[in-house]
Amino acid sequence: QVQFVESGGGLVQPGGSLRLSCAASGNIFSIYAMGWYRQAPGKQRDLVATITGSYARIYADSVKGRFTIDRDNARNTVYLQMDNLKAEDTAVYYCNRPSNPGAWGQGTLVTVSS
């Protein structure tokens, strides 16, 4: 079963930037769309960014213009560049496949606070 390992989270001030990475196992990574999700305390897990196998990108309104999703199929890795971070971006961030999802990884915590 495919597995995901997220990294790159941390504490950042409002207006700052972070780049998250997600390494996926498996040798058919390139054909699947990949997504970044986030779950804030006490809230459901939401999909915030998707990149398809053909590199089309879809963003939630809450992050549009601030976050950029990208992928490197040679490294089975998907990235999330987060700029102009806000306090409401504080959450645990996960990656997974929106269709045919695998097991959830442990996620990476992003805390935006002054």
Side-chain angles (χ1 to χ4, degrees):
Q1 186 179 17
V2 65
Q3 293 182 321
F4 306 104
V5 179
E6 301 90 352
S7 62
L11 173 64
V12 62
Q13 292 186 343
S17 298
L18 281 175
R19 188 190 193 213
L20 307 184
S21 299
C22 167
S25 64
N27 58 5
I28 54 173
F29 173 82
S30 63
I31 69 172
Y32 287 104
M34 288 295 302
W36 278 99
Y37 300 75
R38 69 185 181 187
Q39 187 168 21
K43 296 189 177 181
Q44 67 180 18
R45 186 177 292 161
D46 291 325
L47 177 63
V48 297
T50 304
I51 185 167
T52 69
S54 58
Y55 291 83
R57 295 168 173 85
I58 305 165
Y59 299 97
D61 288 343
S62 59
V63 306
K64 199 172 296 182
R66 301 187 297 118
F67 289 11
T68 303
I69 188 170
D70 207 352
R71 66 191 299 161
D72 183 340
N73 290 337
R75 290 180 167 81
N76 278 17
T77 300
V78 62
Y79 304 97
L80 187 68
Q81 176 67 39
M82 305 186 296
D83 298 317
N84 190 22
L85 282 160
K86 304 176 181 180
E88 52 264 41
D89 296 319
T90 294
V92 180
Y93 284 73
Y94 304 86
C95 67
N96 212 322
R97 300 186 299 211
S99 61
N100 193 20
W104 291 97
Q106 291 190 333
T108 187
L109 175 62
V110 173
T111 304
V112 185
S113 175
S114 55

